[in-house]
Amino acid sequence: MALKFYESPFHATETPEVASKSVLKVDLTIMIRDIIEQQDWTQKEAAERLGVSQPRISDLVNGKIDKFTLDQLFSMLDKLGFRAKFTFGNLEEASINIQKVKVPVSA
């Protein structure tokens, strides 16, 4: 019997549409978690900065992606100073670029 390989673990058990969203949610969750860790914030500090409860941050850092929508994760990134830009090249290719926004220095 031949082994079957999947793009991600989600692709083994979910429809392609659900799986691709789950992969994106995992990636965004890891990014937000890493930012929180790099800033050395407590869960309480992160919650205050992101405008959510501490239990929500606990869910996030523990990878409970099913408790978050893509919109919620992108909103958290916005509050962390990141912006997502969607580029649609043609019918075969599109990309999402997430970058830190440079804040102008006030006089």
Side-chain angles (χ1 to χ4, degrees):
M1 183 164 123
L3 291 176
K4 186 168 183 180
F5 293 93
Y6 295 94
E7 189 174 332
S8 76
F10 300 108
H11 287 86
T13 58
E14 302 288 347
T15 65
E17 296 80 14
V18 171
S20 65
K21 288 177 188 170
S22 295
V23 169
L24 183 55
K25 285 167 61 172
V26 166
D27 290 342
L28 293 172
T29 300
I30 290 169
M31 182 179 179
I32 296 166
R33 183 205 63 208
D34 288 353
I35 292 167
I36 290 169
E37 287 177 1
Q38 288 173 5
Q39 295 297 321
D40 203 27
W41 293 335
T42 64
Q43 287 187 7
K44 183 179 177 189
E45 289 171 319
E48 289 169 0
R49 291 175 187 267
L50 297 175
V52 297
S53 67
Q54 180 276 322
R56 293 292 284 159
I57 298 298
S58 177
D59 290 338
L60 185 125
V61 299
N62 287 304
K64 296 181 179 178
I65 65 164
D66 56 314
K67 295 189 176 217
F68 295 92
T69 64
L70 286 171
D71 187 53
Q72 291 168 328
L73 295 170
F74 277 112
S75 291
M76 287 182 185
L77 282 174
D78 282 346
K79 289 179 181 174
L80 291 169
F82 288 84
R83 297 297 177 267
K85 180 180 179 183
F86 178 78
T87 304
F88 179 68
N90 58 50
L91 293 177
E92 301 295 323
E93 184 178 51
S95 64
I96 299 171
N97 183 18
I98 302 171
Q99 289 187 316
K100 184 85 168 166
V101 176
K102 293 185 173 103
V103 180
V105 178
S106 57

